[in-house]
Amino acid sequence: MKIKILLSLCVAAVIGFSGPVHAAGEHIELPKQQWSFDGMTGTFDRGAMQRGFQVYKQVCSACHGLNRLSYRNLAALGYNEAEIKAIAAEATITDGPNDEGEMFERPGRPSDAFKKPFANDNAARYANNGALPPDLSLIVRSRAGGPDYVYALMTGYGDAPADVKMNEGMHYNKYFPGHQIAMAAPLVAGAVTYGDGTDASVEQMAKDVATFLAWASEPVMEIRKQTGIKVMIFLLVFSVLMYATKRKVWKDLH
Ligand code: HEC
Protein backbone atom coordinates (compact mmCIF):
# COMPACT_ATOMS: atom_id res chain seq x y z
CA MET A 1 0.00 0.00 0.00
CA LYS A 2 2.74 2.41 1.02
CA ILE A 3 4.59 1.61 -2.16
CA LYS A 4 1.49 2.45 -4.14
CA ILE A 5 1.13 5.83 -2.44
CA LEU A 6 4.81 6.54 -2.89
CA LEU A 7 4.65 5.58 -6.52
CA SER A 8 1.67 7.78 -7.23
CA LEU A 9 3.39 10.68 -5.49
CA CYS A 10 6.44 10.14 -7.69
CA VAL A 11 4.25 9.93 -10.77
CA ALA A 12 2.53 13.19 -9.89
CA ALA A 13 5.87 14.86 -9.26
CA VAL A 14 7.36 13.57 -12.49
CA ILE A 15 4.47 14.57 -14.69
CA GLY A 16 4.41 17.90 -12.90
CA PHE A 17 0.85 19.01 -13.44
CA SER A 18 1.09 22.76 -13.35
CA GLY A 19 -2.49 23.97 -13.62
CA PRO A 20 -2.96 27.36 -15.25
CA VAL A 21 -4.03 30.27 -13.14
CA HIS A 22 -7.75 30.79 -13.13
CA ALA A 23 -8.93 34.33 -13.61
CA ALA A 24 -11.43 35.65 -11.12
CA GLY A 25 -14.99 36.53 -12.13
CA GLU A 26 -17.60 34.86 -14.28
CA HIS A 27 -16.85 31.24 -15.12
CA ILE A 28 -17.09 30.52 -18.84
CA GLU A 29 -17.36 26.86 -19.82
CA LEU A 30 -14.93 26.06 -22.66
CA PRO A 31 -15.77 23.23 -25.05
CA LYS A 32 -13.08 20.56 -24.71
CA GLN A 33 -11.28 19.63 -27.93
CA GLN A 34 -9.32 16.49 -28.74
CA TRP A 35 -5.61 17.30 -29.09
CA SER A 36 -2.88 15.07 -30.47
CA PHE A 37 -0.74 16.17 -27.54
CA ASP A 38 -3.26 15.23 -24.85
CA GLY A 39 -2.33 12.67 -22.22
CA MET A 40 0.93 11.18 -21.09
CA THR A 41 2.06 9.89 -24.46
CA GLY A 42 0.53 12.54 -26.73
CA THR A 43 2.82 14.25 -29.23
CA PHE A 44 2.42 17.34 -31.40
CA ASP A 45 0.95 16.62 -34.81
CA ARG A 46 3.63 17.94 -37.22
CA GLY A 47 1.12 18.63 -40.01
CA ALA A 48 -1.08 20.68 -37.67
CA MET A 49 1.96 22.55 -36.34
CA GLN A 50 3.11 23.51 -39.82
CA ARG A 51 -0.39 24.61 -40.79
CA GLY A 52 -0.69 26.49 -37.51
CA PHE A 53 2.60 28.25 -38.15
CA GLN A 54 1.30 29.26 -41.56
CA VAL A 55 -1.81 30.75 -39.91
CA TYR A 56 0.35 32.56 -37.35
CA LYS A 57 2.68 33.89 -40.04
CA GLN A 58 0.00 35.01 -42.47
CA VAL A 59 -2.61 36.28 -40.00
CA CYS A 60 -1.61 36.65 -36.34
CA SER A 61 1.95 37.92 -36.82
CA ALA A 62 0.56 41.22 -38.09
CA CYS A 63 -0.27 42.04 -34.46
CA HIS A 64 1.23 39.39 -32.18
CA GLY A 65 4.89 38.63 -31.52
CA LEU A 66 6.41 35.31 -30.44
CA ASN A 67 9.45 36.71 -28.72
CA ARG A 68 10.68 33.49 -27.13
CA LEU A 69 11.10 31.76 -30.48
CA SER A 70 13.89 31.99 -33.03
CA TYR A 71 13.48 30.91 -36.62
CA ARG A 72 15.82 27.97 -36.05
CA ASN A 73 13.37 26.56 -33.46
CA LEU A 74 11.10 25.78 -36.43
CA ALA A 75 13.22 22.68 -37.02
CA ALA A 76 10.95 21.03 -34.43
CA LEU A 77 8.04 21.41 -36.86
CA GLY A 78 9.86 19.31 -39.41
CA TYR A 79 11.32 22.09 -41.58
CA ASN A 80 14.83 21.52 -42.94
CA GLU A 81 17.69 24.01 -42.83
CA ALA A 82 17.07 25.45 -46.27
CA GLU A 83 13.37 25.95 -45.53
CA ILE A 84 14.17 27.68 -42.23
CA LYS A 85 16.71 29.93 -43.96
CA ALA A 86 14.08 30.90 -46.50
CA ILE A 87 11.43 31.56 -43.83
CA ALA A 88 13.87 33.71 -41.81
CA ALA A 89 14.96 35.63 -44.89
CA GLU A 90 11.37 36.76 -45.52
CA ALA A 91 11.67 39.02 -42.45
CA THR A 92 13.54 42.32 -42.60
CA ILE A 93 15.54 42.73 -39.41
CA THR A 94 16.97 46.00 -38.14
CA ASP A 95 20.54 45.37 -37.04
CA GLY A 96 23.49 47.48 -36.04
CA PRO A 97 24.95 49.84 -35.33
CA ASN A 98 27.50 49.41 -38.15
CA ASP A 99 30.99 50.94 -38.19
CA GLU A 100 29.47 54.31 -38.98
CA GLY A 101 27.09 54.07 -36.02
CA GLU A 102 24.04 53.60 -38.22
CA MET A 103 21.35 50.97 -37.82
CA PHE A 104 20.76 49.00 -41.00
CA GLU A 105 18.30 46.49 -42.37
CA ARG A 106 19.08 42.97 -43.50
CA PRO A 107 17.19 39.76 -44.23
CA GLY A 108 16.52 37.56 -41.18
CA ARG A 109 18.77 34.64 -40.27
CA PRO A 110 17.80 31.36 -38.55
CA SER A 111 19.43 32.60 -35.30
CA ASP A 112 17.24 35.73 -35.17
CA ALA A 113 14.30 35.89 -32.80
CA PHE A 114 10.91 36.08 -34.52
CA LYS A 115 10.39 39.61 -35.76
CA LYS A 116 8.12 41.76 -33.60
CA PRO A 117 5.12 43.25 -35.37
CA PHE A 118 5.47 46.68 -33.73
CA ALA A 119 8.48 48.76 -32.72
CA ASN A 120 7.13 49.20 -29.18
CA ASP A 121 3.98 48.81 -27.05
CA ASN A 122 2.78 52.35 -27.77
CA ALA A 123 2.83 51.71 -31.50
CA ALA A 124 1.02 48.41 -30.91
CA ARG A 125 -1.71 50.07 -28.83
CA TYR A 126 -2.04 52.96 -31.25
CA ALA A 127 -2.73 50.53 -34.09
CA ASN A 128 -5.21 48.48 -32.04
CA ASN A 129 -7.74 50.88 -30.62
CA GLY A 130 -5.72 51.26 -27.40
CA ALA A 131 -5.48 47.51 -26.67
CA LEU A 132 -2.15 45.70 -26.56
CA PRO A 133 -1.99 42.44 -28.53
CA PRO A 134 -0.12 40.15 -26.11
CA ASP A 135 2.96 38.22 -27.15
CA LEU A 136 1.73 34.70 -27.89
CA SER A 137 4.84 32.74 -26.79
CA LEU A 138 3.30 31.65 -23.51
CA ILE A 139 -0.38 32.32 -24.14
CA VAL A 140 -1.37 28.63 -24.04
CA ARG A 141 0.25 28.21 -20.64
CA SER A 142 -0.95 31.48 -19.21
CA ARG A 143 -4.68 31.19 -19.95
CA ALA A 144 -7.02 28.78 -18.17
CA GLY A 145 -8.07 26.14 -20.67
CA GLY A 146 -4.85 26.51 -22.70
CA PRO A 147 -5.37 25.32 -26.27
CA ASP A 148 -9.12 24.90 -25.68
CA TYR A 149 -9.27 28.60 -24.81
CA VAL A 150 -7.36 29.68 -27.93
CA TYR A 151 -9.64 27.51 -30.07
CA ALA A 152 -12.76 28.83 -28.34
CA LEU A 153 -11.60 32.45 -28.68
CA MET A 154 -10.99 32.04 -32.41
CA THR A 155 -14.39 30.47 -32.99
CA GLY A 156 -16.39 32.39 -30.37
CA TYR A 157 -17.18 35.57 -32.34
CA GLY A 158 -20.74 36.49 -33.16
CA ASP A 159 -23.40 39.15 -32.75
CA ALA A 160 -23.81 40.48 -29.25
CA PRO A 161 -27.07 39.50 -27.53
CA ALA A 162 -29.61 42.36 -27.57
CA ASP A 163 -29.14 43.13 -23.85
CA VAL A 164 -25.37 43.59 -24.10
CA LYS A 165 -24.18 47.12 -24.77
CA MET A 166 -20.94 47.03 -26.73
CA ASN A 167 -18.26 49.68 -26.28
CA GLU A 168 -16.99 51.39 -29.39
CA GLY A 169 -14.48 49.40 -31.39
CA MET A 170 -15.04 46.25 -29.35
CA HIS A 171 -16.16 42.87 -30.65
CA TYR A 172 -18.45 40.36 -29.00
CA ASN A 173 -16.86 37.02 -28.16
CA LYS A 174 -18.58 34.30 -26.15
CA TYR A 175 -15.39 33.04 -24.57
CA PHE A 176 -13.42 36.21 -23.80
CA PRO A 177 -13.78 37.24 -20.13
CA GLY A 178 -16.26 40.12 -20.16
CA HIS A 179 -17.21 39.22 -23.77
CA GLN A 180 -15.83 42.46 -25.26
CA ILE A 181 -12.51 42.08 -27.03
CA ALA A 182 -10.52 44.65 -28.97
CA MET A 183 -9.34 42.01 -31.47
CA ALA A 184 -11.70 41.67 -34.43
CA ALA A 185 -12.33 38.04 -35.49
CA PRO A 186 -8.91 37.25 -36.98
CA LEU A 187 -9.96 34.17 -38.94
CA VAL A 188 -12.32 33.98 -41.88
CA ALA A 189 -12.77 30.82 -43.93
CA GLY A 190 -10.07 30.53 -46.57
CA ALA A 191 -7.81 33.16 -44.93
CA VAL A 192 -4.87 30.94 -45.82
CA THR A 193 -4.33 28.34 -48.53
CA TYR A 194 -2.83 25.25 -46.99
CA GLY A 195 -0.03 23.61 -48.93
CA ASP A 196 -1.22 20.13 -47.95
CA GLY A 197 -4.69 20.71 -49.38
CA THR A 198 -6.49 20.80 -46.00
CA ASP A 199 -9.66 22.88 -46.19
CA ALA A 200 -9.00 26.17 -44.35
CA SER A 201 -12.23 26.45 -42.38
CA VAL A 202 -12.24 28.73 -39.33
CA GLU A 203 -12.37 25.65 -37.04
CA GLN A 204 -9.47 23.99 -38.85
CA MET A 205 -7.28 27.10 -38.70
CA ALA A 206 -8.22 27.62 -35.03
CA LYS A 207 -7.22 24.07 -34.19
CA ASP A 208 -3.96 24.31 -36.14
CA VAL A 209 -2.90 27.66 -34.69
CA ALA A 210 -3.74 26.44 -31.17
CA THR A 211 -1.54 23.36 -31.76
CA PHE A 212 1.29 25.57 -32.99
CA LEU A 213 0.93 27.91 -29.99
CA ALA A 214 0.79 24.95 -27.59
CA TRP A 215 4.15 23.85 -28.96
CA ALA A 216 5.49 27.41 -28.73
CA SER A 217 4.47 27.52 -25.06
CA GLU A 218 6.27 24.29 -24.26
CA PRO A 219 8.66 23.16 -27.01
CA VAL A 220 10.15 20.50 -24.73
CA MET A 221 6.81 18.84 -23.86
CA GLU A 222 7.59 15.65 -25.78
CA ILE A 223 10.98 15.27 -24.06
CA ARG A 224 9.36 15.94 -20.69
CA LYS A 225 6.78 13.22 -21.26
CA GLN A 226 9.37 10.73 -22.52
CA THR A 227 11.56 11.40 -19.50
CA GLY A 228 8.56 11.01 -17.21
CA ILE A 229 7.74 7.61 -18.66
CA LYS A 230 11.37 6.47 -18.43
CA VAL A 231 11.59 7.59 -14.82
CA MET A 232 8.38 5.76 -14.00
CA ILE A 233 9.59 2.54 -15.59
CA PHE A 234 12.84 2.89 -13.69
CA LEU A 235 10.99 3.46 -10.41
CA LEU A 236 8.80 0.46 -11.05
CA VAL A 237 11.70 -1.87 -11.80
CA PHE A 238 13.62 -0.43 -8.85
CA SER A 239 10.68 -1.01 -6.49
CA VAL A 240 10.33 -4.64 -7.59
CA LEU A 241 14.06 -5.20 -7.11
CA MET A 242 14.04 -3.59 -3.68
CA TYR A 243 11.06 -5.68 -2.65
CA ALA A 244 12.74 -8.89 -3.81
CA THR A 245 15.92 -7.89 -1.99
CA LYS A 246 14.02 -7.15 1.18
CA ARG A 247 12.36 -10.55 1.09
CA LYS A 248 15.65 -12.27 0.53
CA VAL A 249 17.47 -10.41 3.30
CA TRP A 250 14.72 -10.97 5.87
CA LYS A 251 13.83 -14.50 4.79
CA ASP A 252 15.66 -16.36 7.55
CA LEU A 253 14.52 -14.01 10.25
CA HIS A 254 10.80 -14.76 9.88
C1 HEC B 1 -5.27 43.24 -36.20
C2 HEC B 1 -4.53 42.82 -35.05
C3 HEC B 1 -4.69 41.40 -34.57
C4 HEC B 1 -4.59 40.21 -35.28
C5 HEC B 1 -4.34 40.05 -36.77
C6 HEC B 1 -4.73 39.14 -34.31
N1 HEC B 1 -4.89 39.66 -33.07
FE1 HEC B 1 -5.09 38.61 -31.35
N2 HEC B 1 -5.31 40.33 -30.29
C7 HEC B 1 -5.26 41.59 -30.81
C8 HEC B 1 -5.50 42.55 -29.76
C9 HEC B 1 -5.56 44.05 -29.91
C10 HEC B 1 -5.69 41.81 -28.57
C11 HEC B 1 -6.02 42.33 -27.16
C12 HEC B 1 -7.50 42.27 -27.01
C13 HEC B 1 -8.04 42.84 -25.73
O1 HEC B 1 -7.32 42.83 -24.72
O2 HEC B 1 -9.21 43.29 -25.74
C14 HEC B 1 -5.54 40.41 -28.94
C15 HEC B 1 -5.63 39.36 -28.05
C16 HEC B 1 -5.41 38.03 -28.38
C17 HEC B 1 -5.36 36.94 -27.42
C18 HEC B 1 -5.46 37.07 -25.91
C19 HEC B 1 -6.86 37.08 -25.42
C20 HEC B 1 -6.84 37.13 -23.90
O3 HEC B 1 -7.32 36.19 -23.25
O4 HEC B 1 -6.30 38.12 -23.35
C21 HEC B 1 -5.14 35.79 -28.11
C22 HEC B 1 -5.00 34.39 -27.58
C23 HEC B 1 -5.04 36.17 -29.51
N3 HEC B 1 -5.21 37.53 -29.63
C24 HEC B 1 -4.78 35.27 -30.52
C25 HEC B 1 -4.69 35.63 -31.86
C26 HEC B 1 -4.45 34.66 -32.90
C27 HEC B 1 -4.24 33.16 -32.69
C28 HEC B 1 -4.42 35.36 -34.07
C29 HEC B 1 -4.24 34.81 -35.45
C30 HEC B 1 -5.16 33.81 -35.87
C31 HEC B 1 -4.63 36.77 -33.73
N4 HEC B 1 -4.79 36.87 -32.38
C32 HEC B 1 -4.65 37.81 -34.66
C33 HEC B 1 -5.02 41.93 -32.14
C34 HEC B 1 -4.89 41.03 -33.17
Side-chain angles (χ1 to χ4, degrees):
M1 195 59 210
K2 261 191 196 149
I3 288 186
K4 252 192 190 166
I5 296 172
L6 249 171
L7 259 182
S8 39
L9 277 178
C10 293
V11 170
V14 166
I15 300 171
F17 287 113
S18 49
V21 188
H22 287 265
E26 178 200 11
H27 178 74
I28 304 172
E29 200 64 46
L30 298 172
K32 174 94 192 76
Q33 309 300 321
Q34 298 261 321
W35 301 100
S36 64
F37 48 90
D38 277 339
M40 262 181 53
T41 51
T43 53
F44 292 118
D45 171 345
R46 297 301 187 267
M49 280 158 94
Q50 290 202 3
R51 290 193 300 272
F53 169 60
Q54 187 182 347
V55 173
Y56 168 76
K57 190 159 73 107
Q58 293 182 1
V59 184
C60 325
S61 71
C63 301
H64 294 281
L66 268 179
N67 62 20
R68 289 166 58 107
L69 287 188
S70 299
Y71 294 106
R72 63 175 166 216
N73 297 134
L74 291 172
L77 275 59
Y79 291 113
N80 63 30
E81 238 179 281
E83 287 168 325
I84 292 173
K85 262 194 183 156
I87 292 169
E90 283 172 31
T92 307
I93 305 285
T94 305
D95 201 348
N98 62 12
D99 294 346
E100 292 153 24
E102 305 284 342
M103 299 303 278
F104 60 94
E105 295 193 329
R106 60 163 175 80
R109 301 185 196 119
S111 57
D112 286 322
F114 270 44
K115 190 184 163 132
K116 287 191 203 154
F118 298 102
N120 52 58
D121 286 359
N122 289 3
R125 281 185 198 280
Y126 187 71
N128 285 283
N129 201 18
L132 185 66
D135 186 90
L136 295 181
S137 306
L138 292 174
I139 202 81
V140 167
R141 281 182 84 86
S142 63
R143 292 291 184 275
D148 288 333
Y149 173 68
V150 173
Y151 179 88
L153 190 71
M154 296 291 108
T155 54
Y157 285 90
D159 291 335
D163 58 336
V164 174
K165 192 177 167 323
M166 297 296 293
N167 294 323
E168 189 163 337
M170 299 300 262
H171 309 268
Y172 183 81
N173 189 301
K174 263 197 287 193
Y175 299 110
F176 185 67
H179 305 298
Q180 306 215 19
I181 183 163
M183 169 171 70
L187 297 175
V188 288
V192 303
T193 306
Y194 282 137
D196 63 5
T198 305
D199 180 40
S201 64
V202 170
E203 291 76 17
Q204 182 69 46
M205 289 185 286
K207 189 125 202 222
D208 293 339
V209 83
T211 302
F212 170 68
L213 292 174
W215 165 77
S217 280
E218 199 189 355
V220 294
M221 181 209 74
E222 291 174 354
I223 298 172
R224 170 172 64 80
K225 287 184 180 172
Q226 280 164 13
T227 313
I229 291 171
K230 278 186 204 149
V231 170
M232 273 164 52
I233 292 173
F234 169 78
L235 283 174
L236 212 73
V237 172
F238 189 69
S239 308
V240 171
L241 280 176
M242 286 313 280
Y243 184 66
T245 313
K246 181 216 144 215
R247 285 191 47 139
K248 190 156 181 147
V249 169
W250 290 87
K251 195 176 63 185
D252 299 336
L253 293 172
H254 279 305

